[in-house]
Amino acid sequence: MARPLKICCACGARPNFMKIAPIVDALARRSNVETLLVHTGQHYDERMSERFFGDLGIPKPDVNLGVGSASHAVQTGGIMKAFEPVCLQHKPDWVIVVGDVNSTIACALVAVKLGIKVAHVEAGLRSGDRTMPEEINRILTDAISDLLFVTEPSGLDNLAREGIPADRVYHVGNVMIDTLIKARERAEQSDLLTKLGLSPRQYATMTLHRPSNVDDVRVFSGILDAIESITADIPVVFPIHPRTRHSLTKLGLQDRVDHLKGLLLVEPLGYLDFMKLTANAAVVLSDSGGIQEETTILGVPCLTLRSNTERPITITEGTNRLVGVDPAAILSAFSDVRQERDFSATPPALWDGHAAERIVKTITTPPGATTAPPMELATATA
Ligand code: UD1
């Protein structure tokens, strides 16, 4: 029997875990594949990391690089320094990276310089905003990847525009939605709403963690102005990211938040609890990337508190609306939701729960073995 194909799956920050879970699962179902799961330690709090492994049934990582929080350069460099010896020791044939966090670019860069093939899952997304650290991570990771797996057609256009050869690019769907579809029933069984005293569709969910929103006192205060008005209508549940928690103290906003009646601050939630909270909300207000996609599938209106999105299909086919951070604009969009203006959605093509299988099939099929790829594996030019 031929030597097993060695595949290293790298992850590190909260949104990575939902993306790597179905890939690790699909790899485990392949014969003659050896998987190495590496956690960079970019996120390390139990609520930001370990709980997701439990909720999503991801096996314990084989290696944890334990890098932790730091400035961008120190964190990215730290991951690279720690990941290189792991690659040298295990000699994987492939490194799979997901999403757009610092762990993504750091692991991709180490692998490509060692001559290891790199597959980027969730390639091609572009916000057009180079002040976002994630946008830089996306552009650079895509430029050095051997295989690029795209969630939506805009990704094919973006990569073609940047000169990425079409035979490296596959439109396969969305691994984050694989996870959502698989976990949906279990998430419905969460008792979170009962614990918080909430009824379905009678509250809003909010998440905020983008530096541009939570590190700027003027922007953050403006968002809170809008939230104060919204809480006069329905309560707003706010699972708070550690970065945002630090900012509240640093910017002197903690007292205001503590006294904002109707704003329910809770610790970061696990995946199943958060999906329960999101699926049953009247509306979600967020600056997250992935939540724009999850609300599209859940059919819940999503007001994105940003001026751009790298996921345009969630607007054209989903429930997402770009609202920005102006309080009046947030309130106007909220009023549209309450008046039941149209926020209907159709699931984007291939967001069907099988993206990870397509990815694993592509990576594990030797070059030249597939003469006629099935439709969903068709590359940009096919
Ligand atoms: C990172 C990603 C972002 C992603 C987000 C999801 C980058 C550049 N950013 O942002 O794209 O949307 O994760 O959560 O990779 N902290 C803790 N405990 C933890 C992790 C972080 O307290 O387990 C605190 C630390 O003070 C840290 C801060 O949060 O400095 C920010 O963490 P970091 O990983 O640098 O970036 P995120 O804002 O989480």
Side-chain angles (χ1 to χ4, degrees):
M1 190 153 127
R3 173 179 91 74
L5 192 67
K6 277 198 179 185
I7 301 186
C8 170
C9 295
C11 61
R14 186 169 60 176
N16 285 172
F17 308 139
M18 291 78 106
K19 295 168 195 169
I20 211 74
I23 297 172
V24 171
D25 191 44
L27 285 169
R29 282 185 273 110
R30 287 264 153 176
S31 58
N32 220 24
V33 168
E34 208 178 291
T35 307
L36 180 80
L37 180 59
V38 174
H39 189 323
T40 66
Q42 176 174 347
H43 285 175
Y44 43 86
D45 285 348
E46 193 272 333
R47 288 171 186 277
M48 299 292 288
S49 174
E50 210 179 319
R51 181 174 305 185
F52 287 80
F53 280 69
D55 276 3
L56 303 175
I58 311 172
K60 193 170 174 301
D62 299 291
V63 181
N64 192 322
L65 306 178
V67 172
S69 301
S71 68
H72 283 280
V74 171
Q75 186 175 64
T76 309
I79 297 168
M80 290 181 68
K81 273 170 83 171
F83 187 54
E84 186 177 57
V86 173
C87 287
L88 288 171
Q89 183 192 341
H90 294 274
K91 299 187 175 45
D93 300 293
W94 283 92
V95 169
I96 302 180
V97 295
V98 293
D100 55 16
V101 301
N102 287 344
S103 300
T104 311
I105 177 62
C107 294
L109 195 47
V110 167
V112 74
K113 293 214 171 177
L114 290 174
I116 299 166
K117 289 198 278 293
V118 176
H120 183 206
V121 174
E122 201 187 85
L125 296 180
R126 296 289 181 271
S127 67
D129 175 1
R130 289 197 178 205
T131 66
M132 283 176 83
E134 295 83 358
E135 183 77 349
I136 305 300
N137 293 341
R138 291 178 197 123
I139 294 168
L140 297 181
T141 306
D142 287 343
I144 58 175
S145 291
D146 297 275
L147 281 178
L148 298 93
F149 295 106
V150 168
T151 52
E152 60 167 88
S154 73
L156 300 176
D157 301 338
N158 294 332
L159 294 173
R161 200 175 332 105
E162 290 172 21
I164 308 283
D167 61 358
R168 292 191 200 159
V169 181
Y170 291 78
H171 178 201
V172 289
N174 192 325
V175 285
M176 192 132 180
I177 302 306
D178 289 5
T179 293
L180 176 61
I181 291 171
K182 188 171 169 206
R184 208 166 161 181
E185 269 175 35
R186 274 192 309 136
E188 252 331 290
Q189 278 145 36
S190 152
D191 60 358
L192 184 78
L193 298 194
T194 318
K195 276 194 198 148
L196 296 177
L198 298 166
S199 308
R201 311 280 166 235
Q202 305 298 317
Y203 64 89
T205 298
M206 176 166 76
T207 78
L208 288 177
H209 75 284
R210 296 258 159 241
S212 57
N213 283 347
V214 304
D215 293 353
D216 179 323
V217 69
R218 201 183 44 81
V219 175
F220 203 166
S221 303
I223 294 173
L224 291 177
D225 291 343
I227 295 305
E228 190 162 352
S229 302
I230 290 173
T231 55
D233 180 2
I234 50 174
V236 176
V237 188
F238 184 19
I240 190 157
H241 187 284
R243 169 191 281 283
T244 312
R245 168 77 74 192
H246 294 310
S247 275
L248 279 179
T249 323
K250 211 165 70 197
L251 303 178
L253 292 171
Q254 185 69 54
D255 194 51
R256 171 156 193 215
V257 162
D258 289 343
H259 290 93
L260 215 160
K261 218 169 139 261
L263 179 65
L264 203 60
L265 228 71
V266 296
E267 290 303 315
L269 297 171
Y271 183 78
L272 298 173
D273 282 344
F274 187 72
M275 274 311 125
K276 172 84 179 192
L277 188 72
T278 302
N280 290 282
V283 57
V284 174
L285 300 104
S286 176
D287 59 12
S288 154
I291 291 173
Q292 299 169 51
E293 298 178 338
E294 288 160 342
T295 47
T296 279
I297 295 301
L298 294 168
V300 174
C302 178
L303 307 182
T304 293
L305 307 185
R306 291 169 49 188
S307 55
N308 54 54
T309 180
E310 59 289 330
R311 294 164 159 91
I313 205 165
T314 61
I315 296 178
T316 51
E317 296 184 24
T319 58
N320 186 24
R321 192 183 294 183
L322 274 189
V323 171
V325 291
D326 173 47
I330 298 173
L331 289 176
S332 156
F334 176 72
S335 150
D336 285 349
V337 173
R338 297 305 273 163
Q339 288 168 41
E340 299 186 0
R341 296 251 164 80
D342 189 24
F343 278 85
S344 61
T346 44
L350 303 173
W351 291 21
D352 58 0
H354 301 290
E357 287 160 29
R358 296 184 187 106
I359 289 166
V360 166
K361 186 172 175 194
T362 308
I363 293 176
T364 56
T365 303
T370 30
T371 43
M375 260 312 276
E376 67 271 22
L377 292 182
T379 65
T381 48

